[in-house]
Amino acid sequence: MSIFIGIISGLLVVAFRMAIEWLSVLLQGSAPGPRQLRLIIAPACAGIVIAVLTRYVFPKVRGSGVNQTKAALYIHNGYISFRTMVGKFLLSALAIGSGHSLGPEDPSLQIGAGVASLISRRVGLSREKLRVFAPVGAAAGLAAAFNAPISAILFVIEEVIGQWTAGVLGSIVLSAVSAVVVARQFWGAQPMFRIPSIDVRDPRELLAYAVLGIVGGLASLIFAKALGYLRPALRNQPQWSQMIQPALAGVVVGAIGYFGFPQVMGAGYGAIDLAMHGQFAFKMLLLLALFKIIATTLSFSSGTPGGMFAPTLFVGAMLGASVGQAEHLLFPHLTGSSGSYALVGMGVLFAAFLRAPLTSVFMVLEVSGNYSIILPVILANTIAYLISRSLQPIPIFELFTHQDGLYLPSMEEQREESDLRFEDALQPAAVPILQGSDTMWNVKKVLEQNQEAAAAPAVLIQCSDSTWYAANQKELRDWALEIDEEDKPGAHVLLQERAGTERTPLIFPDQPLSNALPHFRRWPILPVSNRAMRGALEGVLSLDDVLKRYQRSGGH
């Protein structure tokens, strides 16, 4: 199933990218340049068509596709309608092909998830399986769009599902690899961008990459604030005005292209490649980054369907190349190329704006095929991510879900949560401890002579194989009543034999505290063992101890 989903998703994404390229040539011309009136007319007319179709035919195609896939997973049990998938394909291709400043990767992710949902429903899978296969298709769609299976797998795990099992991970890998194999039959196996090999010979050059991390973190804040303000402001406008918003956004984006910056229109991969090869001056790089933020904010906030990945990479590449040029001007003895800074800048903004730090590192490596850049990428991305976290606590995709009235799980918050563990509620073993090797007669005598042991709510029995048994007082009384005299049958049966073969679960101090709760239906207390010494007791847990610890922590 996963391989089949990957193949179909790969074919659809290839068709999607070809549709974008065909529409781009048809609507913008083969060589769009300044002062071409079609640069304004094409996105404006496309905006009118998109608004009408979004309102009356495809009402659920707004947005990038990432949040819609998460909503399908957590709210609709993995259900994505065929109509939504078709609408996402057609309207996103029209929007990007006409020049709206959006990207194809996020819609590809939703198209792949839609394929998985449709196939899973056709073969009659259960609701639980439907929820599993949505991220499987999402990984396939994104992998085909990026030609980068590792980045797609990591992004789906990092942003869509948050956690995984071996089965889910295996399915995601199979679908992503299948989709990339299909895509490479059409596009080839070469990486998306090519730059010279990079060798950081002077450690001082890492300071320039660190500066790039700071610049990227601040730029991501501007980008996020602009989207966070304009998107709800436009959606709160009267219904009639929302019908013309995509067209007005198209006019403004087209005007930016008409008056000198056609590179900001569409996904902008050609401009990224030029920036990597040093084809833009310093001032031009900064203007392109600024106008790309403006154009993307307008296109996305107007409700035009399309993704945020490509614009993020575009802005990052321009900022990175500008930092590289500034470094060459101030420190001409350093050897880093402008292309290396542009490439690192792509990862920097991806980590800071989309808040997927692990994906951002592998994405740079995969789209360039250049592993010599790993050290600058890790340094700059980490700095940018930390700055973004401190200045913009809510990730951009989570901000969009709140604006839409949805409350999907925040994967970033889940990663930051500090789960309570057994050791946080552990108490000294204040209950009596009996030896499993004692006979039942000796145990009966102990209970008769030791009032503390007889009054304890439970006792622990240490068995000869270093396992434990927790017995409540009712069990002990019932066992003792079976024995009247020392010479009666059963008096010399060992306590561990009388307890049977069942034992308390083997648990350790570092395990999640929530894991203890199901066991209290059977056991009055739980012994917590030492990992280094079999049978050594670290302490005990009762249900009351666990509940009190959760109460002190406010329920988290």
Side-chain angles (χ1 to χ4, degrees):
M1 278 281 289
S2 299
I3 294 172
F4 184 63
I5 287 170
I7 292 171
I8 300 301
S9 298
L11 290 171
L12 276 177
V13 170
V14 168
F16 179 56
R17 293 290 293 267
M18 291 175 67
I20 292 173
E21 293 175 8
W22 180 77
L23 286 168
S24 178
V25 173
L26 178 67
L27 299 177
Q28 299 182 59
S30 57
R35 306 298 172 179
Q36 295 180 5
L37 197 58
R38 64 195 303 169
L39 296 185
I40 298 177
I41 296 173
C45 293
I48 296 173
V49 175
I50 289 168
V52 172
L53 292 179
T54 301
R55 174 69 185 278
Y56 296 107
V57 184
F58 307 112
K60 296 182 179 180
V61 301
R62 288 172 174 264
S64 71
V66 175
N67 282 347
Q68 290 80 355
T69 302
K70 287 180 68 175
L73 180 62
Y74 293 102
I75 299 175
H76 306 297
N77 297 316
Y79 179 83
I80 298 175
S81 70
F82 180 70
R83 176 187 290 191
T84 298
M85 187 175 70
V86 172
K88 199 71 172 185
F89 184 108
L90 296 177
L91 299 192
S92 295
L94 177 60
I96 301 167
S98 67
H100 280 269
S101 180
L102 298 164
E105 294 83 7
D106 317 36
S108 298
L109 180 147
Q110 190 178 8
I111 290 169
V115 168
S117 177
L118 180 63
I119 294 174
S120 301
R121 296 198 305 273
R122 286 284 183 253
V123 299
L125 293 184
S126 64
R127 181 174 65 179
E128 181 182 358
K129 293 291 185 182
L130 281 173
R131 297 169 77 175
V132 168
F133 273 103
V136 169
L142 186 57
F146 253 147
N147 196 15
I150 298 176
S151 300
I153 292 165
L154 288 176
F155 182 81
V156 168
I157 290 173
E158 203 170 16
E159 182 58 35
V160 179
I161 60 176
Q163 54 188 356
W164 67 93
T165 63
V168 171
L169 180 60
S171 297
I172 289 175
V173 169
L174 284 174
S175 67
V177 170
S178 302
V180 169
V181 168
V182 169
R184 287 182 177 179
Q185 294 299 311
F186 295 87
W187 300 327
Q190 67 273 11
M192 189 177 294
F193 303 106
R194 290 189 176 274
I195 60 172
S197 180
I198 298 164
D199 184 14
V200 183
R201 300 175 183 175
D202 192 334
R204 290 176 296 179
E205 192 166 341
L206 291 176
L207 294 176
Y209 287 107
V211 171
L212 176 55
I214 297 173
V215 171
L218 296 176
S220 72
L221 176 66
I222 297 172
F223 203 177
K225 291 293 186 183
L227 282 164
Y229 169 77
L230 187 61
R231 186 170 182 264
L234 293 182
R235 297 188 67 169
N236 290 331
Q237 298 301 312
Q239 193 66 49
W240 66 266
S241 71
Q242 294 185 29
M243 292 292 292
I244 63 172
Q245 286 175 12
L248 292 177
V251 169
V252 177
V253 173
I256 293 174
Y258 180 83
F259 288 108
F261 302 95
Q263 298 88 349
V264 305
M265 301 182 71
Y269 288 134
I272 292 175
D273 190 68
L274 292 175
M276 285 188 172
H277 292 87
Q279 300 301 304
F280 294 127
F282 177 78
K283 183 179 178 181
M284 183 66 171
L285 290 168
L286 292 181
L287 288 174
L288 285 174
L290 174 62
F291 282 120
K292 189 66 172 180
I293 290 176
I294 294 172
T296 305
T297 301
L298 289 169
S299 293
F300 191 81
S301 299
S302 68
T304 306
M308 301 297 299
F309 281 36
T312 301
L313 300 180
F314 183 102
V315 175
M318 299 307 149
L319 291 176
S322 64
V323 170
Q325 289 197 12
E327 179 231 37
H328 291 157
L329 181 64
L330 298 174
F331 307 101
H333 59 283
L334 297 180
T335 58
S337 67
S338 179
S340 67
Y341 283 93
L343 184 62
V344 173
M346 290 164 59
V348 161
L349 214 72
F350 197 96
F353 181 67
L354 299 180
R355 300 282 268 277
L358 191 59
T359 304
S360 70
V361 173
F362 283 89
M363 180 209 66
V364 170
L365 300 183
E366 282 196 289
V367 301
S368 68
N370 195 325
Y371 287 83
S372 60
I373 202 171
I374 183 70
L375 191 59
V377 169
I378 292 175
L379 174 65
N381 286 18
T382 302
I383 292 173
Y385 176 73
L386 294 176
I387 290 175
S388 176
R389 278 291 312 275
S390 61
L391 298 179
Q392 177 76 10
I394 302 177
I396 191 66
F397 285 129
E398 186 180 351
L399 181 65
F400 292 159
T401 62
H402 292 173
Q403 291 174 355
D404 295 339
L406 303 176
Y407 294 91
L408 302 175
S410 170
M411 302 310 169
E412 186 173 68
E413 287 184 6
Q414 289 184 10
R415 292 193 294 269
E416 295 297 321
E417 285 179 355
S418 54
D419 294 331
L420 292 176
R421 305 192 179 277
F422 288 151
E423 60 193 3
D424 297 316
L426 204 59
Q427 299 297 322
V431 299
I433 298 178
L434 303 178
Q435 295 301 314
S437 56
D438 285 346
T439 64
M440 287 301 303
W441 177 255
N442 290 338
V443 172
K444 179 180 175 68
K445 288 297 183 184
V446 168
L447 295 176
E448 290 174 350
Q449 297 169 7
N450 189 332
Q451 295 299 318
E452 181 182 351
V459 299
L460 283 177
I461 301 171
Q462 187 173 30
C463 302
S464 55
D465 59 354
S466 299
T467 58
W468 294 88
Y469 185 95
N472 56 41
Q473 279 297 331
K474 184 179 184 304
E475 284 182 286
L476 291 174
R477 286 196 300 269
D478 291 344
W479 294 345
L481 288 174
E482 296 173 0
I483 305 169
D484 298 328
E485 301 293 340
E486 186 176 2
D487 58 349
K488 290 292 182 72
H492 296 284
V493 173
L494 299 183
L495 179 56
Q496 63 192 26
E497 294 176 355
R498 182 63 189 81
T501 58
E502 189 177 18
R503 298 291 182 263
T504 56
L506 186 61
I507 59 177
F508 303 101
D510 56 284
Q511 292 178 314
L513 186 58
S514 59
N515 289 0
L517 295 174
H519 298 305
F520 290 118
R521 291 196 300 177
R522 169 62 183 88
W523 305 104
I525 56 174
L526 294 174
V528 180
S529 302
N530 185 290
R531 284 195 180 273
M533 299 174 61
R534 183 177 174 84
L537 195 65
E538 291 280 342
V540 297
L541 281 176
S542 68
L543 179 59
D544 191 53
D545 296 330
V546 174
L547 295 179
K548 285 181 178 178
R549 184 62 187 86
Y550 275 118
Q551 189 177 35
R552 290 201 305 272
S553 65
H556 298 288

